[in-house]
Amino acid sequence: MKKGIILVIDDEDIVRTSCSRALTPSGYEVKLAKNGHEGLSIMGGDKIDLVLTDLKMPDMDGIEVLKKIKQDWPGVEVIIITGYQTVDTAVKSIKLGAFDYIEKPFTPDALINAVSKALDHKNKSQQT
Amino acid sequence: MVYIFKQMLVKKSLHSLTGKLILTIGTLMVVGSSIFWYLLFRHQETELIQSSVKYGHSFVEYVIKSNRYGMLTFQQLLIQQTIEAIGSAEGVLRVRIFDSRGKIAYSSDKKDIGTVVDKKAPVCVGCHSAEGTHPKDTPTVLISKDNRDFRVLNIVQPIYNEVACYTSTCHAHPRQQKVLGLVEANLSLAVLDKSIKNQGLAITIYVLVFLFVISVVLCTILWNLVSTPVSLLTRGMEKVAGGDLDYHLDINTKDEIGELAQAFNAMTSDLKKAKNELVEWGNTLEKKVQEKTEAIHRAQAQLIHSEKLASLGRMAAGVAHEINSPLTGIVTFGHLLLKKFPQGSEENEDIQVIIEQANRCSTIIKGLLGFARASAAEKAPVNINDVISHSLNIVKNKADFFNIKIVTNFDDFLSKVRADSSQLQQVFLNLIMNAADAIEGKGTITMSTRNIRDNSGDWVEIEFRDTGPGIDDENLAKIFEPFFTTKPVGKGTGLGLAVSHGIIQEHGGSISVKTKRGEGTSFFIKLPAYKEMP
């Protein structure tokens, strides 16, 4: 049984692959999208539990993706991946409903830890 | 007087005020005196002549009356003798009696007797002014000149017919005849002329003496009242024009010149005051310009530095984004690979080196991001003592600090500062770590805080002092430049002080350094004191 379906949205192939390779061995199903639009179309098709999205992307940035997901799929948790975390963007993303943010470069353990916490939170909130 | 005229000549004083005044007044006086002299002289002359004429009339009346008896009794000898006697008197030139036909009947000069004079003769023209006219019956007065140029008074008086004449038994004149004859008297006015000449001479002398005295007095007055003070004023003007503003005019008269001198002295004093003010102002201005120039240079240098940091910040943000993604790949795959080799194996160790180096790259990137973060501070009133304490808590348990003595001199009444505490913590940690590196793990780091006040306001000053070897002069100028480091490769990024400088500057403060070779280094951070609203 899969622990959860995770959608990774990042314009960088290496980040997507890293996430996939880090999370898959731990029993997560990982779906990948190159940009916000692709990510949202996957959201419309499959049942996604958690979204990992980059903050800075061409066309649609992470904050917009976050807003759209929280608007259309309020039950889905979002973790922001950022290359240069600043206090204000972190605060802004948390205010908009992101569960957490994770700074690049991250270790597989740090990623798994953040993902697991987010999914636990999702499960707990669904039970209540 | 001679001195004055000499002075006037020396100074071309005919063109001077005094010269013009003397010339004008002198001319007026000469003209006025001449007119006065002439009128007075004429008046005297007229008066004297009128008196003489009057005297002449009386004389002729006297001649007629003296001969009345002789004429009524027709005693010709008596008449002739009387006439001769009268004619011999002093001043009497000639006395003649004419009959009605113009024949000289009697004369003081016997040779004339019997001579008939023509109507055109000088004696006749007084009455018979033109041929054919009837004689006038009034006395005629004529004044002519003799050969010595003295005046001669010629009076002709008609002898009128009267009752005694035409009733006389002798040779009675007809009753209807009006004029019986003429008496002519020539009287010399030589005495009068001499008197007039003497009087004229006297008046001339008086006028000249008067003119001379008045001229002397006038020149003296003008010289003392006008020329001398004006010369002094001119000299004063020349002195002032030459820059001698201490020159004082010593003219104390109460007149207009005195007032002018006082005004001149006041002007000189005002000029001196104004000049002093100007000089002082010029000096101050130079100093102010110098100060402003220095301030501008400082501001320019700071602006260039800030601009450098800002560009670096923008670049860092872009680089961070680009580099962090590949680093994520290296770290993630490194970790995945690490699990495939047992701990202690050569491969495992190699992979760990890869991961460490990737993390080092990440640290450098984070340092660079400090520039981007400096502009996004979240400020709140904070107590600097607390921020330093927190920073010390982070480092004091590190192995590097085991042999370091940390001393804190906190001001308990330290003002608060409006700041982003996490950014300040970053700055303080950076300075503490730098100090620890400088003393190479052995020595003292002293942290002091204090309130200070200067011209620009109230400040909080934080000092970080170490007992290290100090900083070289050549390095001192570069320590706040990004990527400048004296630490060995791999130990420092060269960004700590540059980022700290940016953060402090963004907080409206300043960071400076004082160092002495062999004694240590002090970093001073000055932040504006926060004034709480009452």
Side-chain angles (χ1 to χ4, degrees):
Chain A
M1 153 116 192
K2 293 283 176 191
K3 285 184 183 173
I5 305 172
I6 297 163
L7 172 62
V8 177
I9 309 172
D10 200 310
D11 57 330
E12 293 268 0
D13 183 40
I14 185 68
V15 179
R16 294 197 300 274
T17 316
S18 295
C19 290
S20 172
R21 288 294 300 275
L23 293 169
T24 311
S26 300
Y28 298 102
E29 185 183 336
V30 179
K31 288 182 182 294
L32 304 172
K34 287 198 285 292
N35 55 50
H37 295 290
E38 198 185 323
L40 291 175
S41 70
I42 292 170
M43 288 292 295
D46 298 319
K47 189 187 173 297
I48 303 292
D49 295 307
L50 173 69
V51 176
L52 292 166
T53 179
D54 191 13
L55 203 56
K56 202 180 171 193
M57 291 182 289
D59 297 340
M60 187 187 276
D61 70 12
I63 294 291
E64 267 185 87
V65 173
L66 171 66
K67 280 184 191 166
K68 193 80 182 158
I69 290 170
K70 282 294 159 186
Q71 186 189 316
D72 295 347
W73 300 278
V76 176
E77 293 297 346
V78 178
I79 292 174
I80 300 287
I81 306 166
T82 170
Y84 52 106
Q85 175 262 323
T86 61
V87 176
D88 57 338
T89 49
V91 169
K92 194 176 175 188
S93 55
I94 300 294
K95 273 184 184 168
L96 287 169
F99 178 75
D100 201 357
Y101 57 85
I102 183 166
E103 270 185 81
K104 287 192 262 189
F106 44 79
T107 59
D109 291 343
L111 182 65
I112 291 162
N113 190 29
V115 165
S116 128
K117 274 185 188 167
L119 288 176
D120 280 354
H121 178 259
K122 181 177 182 280
N123 291 336
K124 275 181 193 165
S125 56
Q126 274 177 352
Q127 280 166 14
T128 54
Chain B
M1 190 72 187
V2 174
Y3 169 75
I4 291 170
F5 279 114
K6 269 187 184 169
Q7 287 291 313
M8 282 170 71
L9 283 173
V10 167
K11 295 191 172 192
K12 298 178 185 173
S13 287
L14 279 179
H15 297 289
S16 72
L17 187 63
T18 313
K20 283 175 183 169
L21 275 171
I22 289 171
L23 200 68
T24 310
I25 295 171
T27 309
L28 282 173
M29 274 171 51
V30 168
V31 171
S33 304
S34 303
I35 293 169
F36 166 76
W37 175 89
Y38 177 75
L39 290 177
L40 188 67
F41 185 77
R42 292 299 300 173
H43 178 74
Q44 287 275 11
E45 191 182 28
T46 312
E47 282 282 311
L48 285 172
I49 287 172
Q50 276 176 355
S51 309
S52 305
V53 169
K54 214 169 160 185
Y55 162 75
H57 284 301
S58 304
F59 177 80
V60 173
E61 278 297 315
Y62 166 71
V63 172
I64 292 171
K65 285 192 171 139
S66 308
N67 289 296
R68 183 181 164 81
Y69 178 72
M71 284 179 187
L72 286 175
T73 56
F74 197 58
Q75 294 181 61
Q76 288 180 303
L77 188 63
L78 177 65
I79 296 169
Q80 177 59 34
Q81 283 175 343
T82 307
I83 291 298
E84 279 178 28
I86 292 170
S88 65
E90 193 188 346
V92 180
L93 296 176
R94 192 172 60 182
V95 182
R96 295 189 294 192
I97 295 177
F98 292 78
D99 65 12
S100 56
R101 289 180 300 277
K103 189 182 95 180
I104 298 168
Y106 311 99
S107 173
S108 55
D109 186 355
K110 279 181 181 171
K111 288 179 276 183
D112 292 344
I113 296 170
T115 312
V116 178
V117 268
D118 191 58
K119 279 184 183 172
K120 285 176 185 170
V123 69
C124 302
V125 292
C127 300
H128 303 277
S129 55
E131 201 177 350
T133 54
H134 294 289
K136 289 193 283 181
D137 51 2
T138 48
T140 304
V141 177
L142 201 75
I143 293 173
S144 56
K145 296 234 169 155
D146 63 10
N147 49 6
R148 288 185 298 155
D149 211 30
F150 288 124
R151 267 177 280 210
V152 174
L153 179 66
N154 177 259
I155 294 179
V156 179
Q157 168 84 36
I159 304 166
Y160 298 107
N161 198 2
E162 52 187 86
V163 180
C165 294
Y166 57 75
T167 54
S168 174
T169 52
C170 55
H171 61 289
H173 296 289
R175 188 178 178 177
Q176 60 274 18
Q177 190 179 351
K178 200 176 177 184
V179 176
L180 303 179
L182 298 169
V183 176
E184 184 203 26
N186 282 347
L187 302 172
S188 172
L189 293 182
V191 177
L192 180 78
D193 278 343
K194 280 177 188 165
S195 167
I196 286 172
K197 198 178 169 188
N198 289 339
Q199 279 192 21
L201 196 67
I203 291 170
T204 308
I205 289 168
Y206 296 154
V207 164
L208 285 177
V209 169
F210 168 76
L211 276 178
F212 178 76
V213 171
I214 289 291
S215 299
V216 170
V217 172
L218 192 71
C219 282
T220 312
I221 288 172
L222 282 176
W223 186 254
N224 287 327
L225 291 184
V226 180
S227 194
T228 308
V230 168
S231 300
L232 281 173
L233 268 172
T234 311
R235 195 160 155 238
M237 294 282 185
E238 284 167 2
K239 286 264 185 192
V240 170
D244 182 5
L245 294 178
D246 289 318
Y247 190 79
H248 185 84
L249 270 183
D250 201 15
I251 301 173
N252 297 315
T253 50
K254 302 279 181 199
D255 55 12
E256 288 86 342
I257 297 280
E259 282 172 16
L260 188 63
Q262 274 176 12
F264 176 86
N265 287 338
M267 181 197 76
T268 318
S269 143
D270 285 352
L271 267 177
K272 192 183 173 187
K273 202 171 148 197
K275 190 187 169 188
N276 288 344
E277 276 173 13
L278 207 65
V279 168
E280 201 177 322
W281 193 69
N283 291 339
T284 324
L285 190 74
E286 207 171 303
K287 203 177 157 197
K288 276 185 182 167
V289 166
Q290 208 175 348
E291 277 172 12
K292 284 280 171 201
T293 313
E294 279 168 14
I296 288 169
H297 282 154
R298 275 201 302 276
Q300 265 180 342
Q302 211 142 45
L303 196 69
I304 291 167
H305 192 71
S306 305
E307 198 53 47
K308 259 159 116 178
L309 293 186
S311 331
L312 194 67
R314 282 194 294 276
M315 193 193 78
V319 169
H321 182 255
E322 296 303 323
I323 302 280
N324 273 328
S325 295
L327 283 179
T328 305
I330 294 167
V331 172
T332 305
F333 283 93
H335 276 282
L336 292 175
L337 207 57
L338 203 61
K339 287 174 185 166
K340 292 186 177 170
F341 297 96
Q343 214 159 14
S345 67
E346 202 177 327
E347 289 85 353
N348 186 293
E349 281 173 12
D350 290 350
I351 294 163
Q352 274 190 26
V353 170
I354 293 172
I355 293 169
E356 271 170 28
Q357 292 307 309
N359 281 333
R360 198 182 138 214
C361 288
S362 173
T363 311
I364 294 168
I365 296 299
K366 274 183 186 149
L368 278 171
L369 283 170
F371 295 110
R373 278 183 205 153
S375 58
E378 296 234 320
K379 292 175 189 169
V382 293
N383 186 328
I384 294 294
N385 294 342
D386 293 346
V387 182
I388 297 175
S389 298
H390 288 148
S391 308
L392 282 174
N393 285 338
I394 293 170
V395 296
K396 67 182 178 189
N397 293 323
K398 288 181 82 170
D400 298 345
F401 284 79
F402 285 170
N403 293 319
I404 292 174
K405 190 183 169 194
I406 291 177
V407 180
T408 53
N409 293 324
F410 289 162
D411 183 344
D412 293 335
F413 300 99
L414 194 68
S415 299
K416 286 190 172 181
V417 166
R418 215 180 108 72
D420 183 318
S421 56
S422 65
Q423 288 190 358
L424 286 189
Q425 195 164 310
Q426 186 184 341
V427 173
F428 299 159
L429 277 173
N430 191 271
L431 290 173
I432 295 167
M433 298 302 283
N434 278 351
D437 285 340
I439 58 179
E440 292 171 337
K442 245 176 144 181
T444 308
I445 301 174
T446 310
M447 276 152 282
S448 314
T449 57
R450 56 188 84 97
N451 291 313
I452 58 167
R453 173 174 283 185
D454 63 18
N455 293 338
S456 48
D458 292 320
W459 302 85
V460 166
E461 189 179 66
I462 311 127
E463 181 186 353
F464 292 83
R465 191 168 72 239
D466 66 53
T467 52
I471 304 169
D472 287 338
D473 284 347
E474 56 174 314
N475 292 335
L476 198 61
K478 299 186 218 160
I479 55 168
F480 292 110
E481 284 183 13
F483 302 112
F484 175 77
T485 182
T486 55
K487 293 174 187 173
V489 176
K491 273 214 92 180
T493 59
L495 289 168
L497 280 177
V499 171
S500 298
H501 184 268
I503 289 172
I504 295 300
Q505 209 173 30
E506 206 278 325
H507 279 77
S510 63
I511 182 165
S512 58
V513 60
K514 272 184 192 163
T515 185
K516 201 164 185 190
R517 278 310 274 169
E519 287 184 19
T521 304
S522 280
F523 279 88
F524 295 91
I525 292 172
K526 239 171 89 178
L527 290 166
Y530 174 69
K531 287 190 184 76
E532 282 178 76
M533 299 299 277

